[in-house]
Amino acid sequence: MVGAGQVAEVVAAMPGTEFLARRNGSADILAPPDSADGLVAFLKDKSIPYKVLVDDLQEAIRTENPLPAVEESEVWENRGGHRMSWRRYHRYKDIESYIDYLAHTYKEICETVIIGTSTEGRPLKVLKVSSGGPKKPAIWIDGGLHGREWISPATVTYILLQLVEFREKHPHLLENLDWYILPVSNPDGYEYSHVHDRLWRKTRSIPVGTKKRRPYPALGHRGPSRPHRFRSQCVGVDPNRNWDFKWMKIGGSSNPCDDNFAGHKPFSEPETRAMADFITMHKEQIALFLSLHSYSQMWLLPWGWTETEKPDDYYDMYVLAEKGVNALKAVRGTDYLLGTSAELIYASSGASDDWAKGVARIKYAYTIELPDTGMHGFILPASQIESTGQETWEGVRALAQYFAEGYN
Ligand code: 0X9
Ligand code: ZN
């Protein structure tokens, strides 16, 4: 960890490093192996206090998601329709199958709604959980907007498990509420982070303009030209800089090669477009919007786009979020910080929570940054899925309780 003010200096001196600076005066720096010694020497030389959180990221990635023991996988195979275990991070097809499994198994309350298709053609599957009857307040929960944040889809599916399969524990949450739950909102990025690059954040769209450009010269006879066409182009858009509210005002990049590339226009991505269209269709009904990300252990409130303003009803939002944070902490003592994105991390516009609040006018719109605080960062060992799921479910349940009781 270093003082945030010194990050720019460190990064400029160390090519290949990446960083995440926070408002609390700390920053996480990721350095390639051949810069690690230089980085440590540099920090010592400048008397910048630091702590090594992950010594070897490649090794952490290798051990993060162990394959199941054979006996265990047989149990899952025999469970009649899905392979979700919450003991390891699953590929998109397993998560999709779990959504469909719930829809088949609990027909009277669950329905799969395909709200759109990703760039690479994957269906964006929302599970609608509703016991029918007259219109009720609804809760929207999405996960996996950033590919590498694996704990997010794992936690959202854990929420589905509790909500649907253990529904007898909290019947009023289904009697008095409807739920729209999208466990993986950026499936292309999620799959890419499983197969090619564990730290992939963005979508997988091809930059605009690229298609019209000539392919590499004289490739025609050497096989399919399509993959070559885009060889030197940077792929993907940060889906949390792409929403049409204060787009590109702050914290987004216009360079397609950056991790925070905001897209060539708002809602350039089929994923964000589909989510926004669906939410808009149900905006009168949706009382609570939750987007699950990682990492930092923060319950973030709008606005993210400005450091100087807060929503008029910020206090209401804060008081409700406090219920969530307290209920979550009661499970095993996990501390969450509570505040606006701009004050706790950094200002950034074009994010989904600000859009939900500012455009769809959903009063309670939050981003939850799941564990941890940097010890493992994005590479949270799979052994922590269940405990993270349990505590997050308690936090979400506390808010749901409030809406189920009719805002008492
Ligand atoms: O930067 C983001 O998109 C989110 N953090 S993450 O590390 N998961 O990428 C935070 C978004 C917070 N909301 C706004 N800035 N409005
Ligand atoms: Zn994120």
Side-chain angles (χ1 to χ4, degrees):
M1 280 199 280
V2 301
Q6 295 155 311
V7 171
E9 199 189 344
V10 174
V11 168
M14 295 288 142
T17 49
E18 289 181 30
F19 71 96
L20 179 136
R22 297 192 198 84
R23 274 287 150 88
N24 67 2
S26 74
D28 296 352
I29 301 180
L30 174 62
D34 47 5
S35 305
D37 290 346
L39 176 62
V40 167
F42 181 92
L43 295 170
K44 282 187 175 149
D45 184 50
K46 300 270 171 190
S47 306
I48 299 172
Y50 71 92
K51 189 167 133 197
V52 177
L53 295 177
V54 180
D55 192 43
D56 180 345
L57 188 70
Q58 195 59 52
E59 179 60 11
I61 290 172
R62 197 181 65 76
T63 53
E64 172 195 25
N65 197 25
L67 280 168
V70 177
E71 327 74 78
E72 235 180 311
S73 76
E74 274 165 8
V75 173
W76 305 340
E77 295 292 353
N78 295 334
R79 209 165 32 187
H82 77 82
R83 296 170 53 87
M84 292 300 289
S85 63
W86 296 278
R87 291 186 182 179
R88 61 187 317 268
Y89 295 107
H90 289 260
R91 298 287 297 274
Y92 187 55
K93 69 169 170 22
D94 285 359
I95 299 179
E96 260 195 283
S97 313
Y98 185 55
I99 296 168
D100 293 337
Y101 160 83
L102 291 175
H104 289 142
T105 313
Y106 305 96
K107 279 193 187 62
E108 57 304 337
I109 52 166
C110 292
E111 180 193 345
T112 306
V113 185
I114 298 178
I115 63 165
T117 308
S118 71
T119 292
E120 292 178 347
R122 296 187 173 87
L124 303 169
K125 287 190 177 176
V126 165
L127 192 78
K128 176 179 178 185
V129 184
S130 168
S131 59
K135 266 235 161 84
K136 308 161 184 178
I139 294 179
W140 164 275
I141 304 176
D142 67 75
L145 191 60
H146 287 138
R148 63 190 173 194
E149 297 166 11
W150 289 1
I151 189 60
S152 163
T155 303
V156 176
T157 51
Y158 188 90
I159 289 170
L160 278 179
L161 166 78
Q162 293 300 323
L163 180 68
V164 176
E165 305 209 62
F166 293 97
R167 64 198 175 292
E168 72 284 356
K169 289 191 185 166
H170 37 71
H172 57 293
L173 297 187
L174 287 172
E175 272 154 29
N176 302 338
L177 299 170
D178 286 348
W179 300 72
Y180 299 110
I181 300 185
L182 173 63
V184 189
S185 46
N186 171 16
D188 298 350
Y190 184 70
E191 281 296 287
Y192 196 80
S193 73
H194 273 266
V195 177
H196 297 289
D197 174 354
R198 177 63 189 86
L199 291 181
W200 188 259
R201 167 177 169 95
K202 299 189 282 181
T203 61
R204 291 295 302 164
S205 58
I206 307 295
V208 159
T210 327
K211 283 178 193 154
K212 292 196 193 87
R213 220 177 274 172
R214 291 253 338 128
Y216 276 62
L219 273 177
H221 64 283
R222 277 197 251 141
S225 65
R226 199 173 183 281
H228 298 290
R229 260 185 214 189
F230 313 118
R231 194 161 55 182
S232 67
Q233 303 293 331
C234 292
V235 167
V237 165
D238 183 342
N240 218 20
R241 299 290 178 275
N242 190 240
W243 295 64
D244 194 5
F245 182 67
K246 312 284 179 188
W247 180 76
M248 273 300 274
K249 197 173 167 62
I250 188 165
S253 166
S254 55
N255 178 354
C257 296
D258 285 342
D259 246 1
N260 56 341
F261 174 46
H264 71 279
K265 61 174 186 191
F267 290 139
S268 57
E269 302 310 282
E271 298 85 359
T272 52
R273 175 85 268 167
M275 291 163 81
D277 286 348
F278 184 84
I279 293 167
T280 302
M281 224 153 52
H282 299 278
K283 67 181 187 149
E284 311 302 340
Q285 195 199 356
I286 298 175
L288 171 64
F289 169 98
L290 293 175
S291 188
L292 270 52
H293 288 247
S294 74
Y295 60 97
S296 283
Q297 283 169 214
M298 291 177 183
W299 197 296
L300 298 174
L301 283 70
W303 304 114
W305 69 271
T306 169
E307 289 164 17
T308 50
E309 280 176 46
K310 285 193 171 133
D312 293 343
D313 54 356
Y314 182 76
Y315 180 74
D316 297 348
M317 298 188 76
Y318 192 95
V319 169
L320 185 65
E322 242 178 352
K323 290 186 202 286
V325 166
N326 291 339
L328 190 155
K329 183 171 178 163
V331 177
R332 55 165 182 155
T334 306
D335 272 313
Y336 269 63
L337 291 174
L338 182 51
T340 73
S341 312
E343 70 192 4
L344 289 185
I345 38 172
Y346 39 70
S348 56
S349 64
S352 65
D353 49 4
D354 279 9
W355 178 90
K357 177 92 183 151
V359 178
R361 305 238 169 248
I362 297 167
K363 180 176 165 86
Y364 296 98
Y366 304 105
T367 293
I368 302 178
E369 295 282 1
L370 295 167
D372 56 11
T373 54
M375 180 61 83
H376 303 281
F378 300 117
I379 318 300
L380 192 71
S383 55
Q384 296 192 32
I385 295 173
E386 265 188 277
S387 48
T388 303
Q390 278 160 9
E391 65 185 13
T392 312
W393 163 245
E394 288 306 326
V396 169
R397 198 158 75 107
L399 270 69
Q401 188 77 32
Y402 169 79
F403 293 104
E405 282 167 6
Y407 305 65
N408 292 322

